[in-house]
Amino acid sequence: QVQVAESGGGSVEVGGSLRLTCVLSGSTEKWCSMAWNRQIPGKEREGIAFIYPDGGTSYTDSVKGRFSISQDTDKKTVWLQMNNLKPEDTATYVCRVRFWRDGFCSPDAVRGQGTQVTVES
């Protein structure tokens, strides 16, 4: 059974840092993207950082220069280093993994339960 588990959330003051971890287990398929999304109640889910098997990354504008996504050499673990945190970064952060299926990067993603990040001013 494929599982995605996040950890590392917590409360931090403005300007502080946190590192989130996403661990993929139970999968025999190759993934095509791993992403960190964040969810704020009443707002749409926002994809903020993406990493691909070749190591390529992309970020949404609101986190560029502050957040950094990276992966372990086994490609089963992905981290999100978050620096210079702002109150508007307060959200539930969810890791979503997409897999190669029938030659395409499937739009269906496996996600974890999420980890809460609270930035206090």
Side-chain angles (χ1 to χ4, degrees):
Q1 183 180 359
V2 179
Q3 291 186 322
V4 174
E6 306 97 335
S7 61
S11 294
V12 64
E13 293 183 351
V14 170
S17 298
L18 283 173
R19 188 170 85 153
L20 305 183
T21 301
C22 171
V23 178
L24 172 66
S25 62
S27 173
T28 59
E29 297 177 289
K30 292 186 178 180
W31 57 268
C32 51
S33 78
M34 294 183 78
W36 283 99
N37 287 226
R38 62 187 179 189
Q39 183 71 57
I40 300 171
K43 293 189 176 182
E44 287 190 10
R45 185 183 71 221
E46 179 186 24
I48 60 168
F50 303 80
I51 193 163
Y52 307 97
D54 65 358
T57 60
S58 62
Y59 302 89
T60 193
D61 286 346
S62 62
V63 306
K64 280 181 182 176
R66 299 189 299 124
F67 291 10
S68 177
I69 189 170
S70 59
Q71 61 180 307
D72 198 356
T73 52
D74 67 359
K75 298 185 178 180
K76 298 288 189 180
T77 303
V78 167
W79 298 283
L80 183 68
Q81 178 66 43
M82 305 187 296
N83 298 325
N84 190 22
L85 282 161
K86 304 176 180 180
E88 52 264 42
D89 294 320
T90 295
T92 299
Y93 285 71
V94 179
C95 182
R96 295 171 62 89
V97 184
R98 295 167 62 187
F99 297 90
W100 290 109
R101 288 179 181 155
D102 298 325
F104 296 93
C105 189
S106 173
D108 298 324
V110 178
R111 55 160 288 175
Q113 297 285 340
T115 185
Q116 178 66 34
V117 171
T118 302
V119 184
E120 299 171 339
S121 56

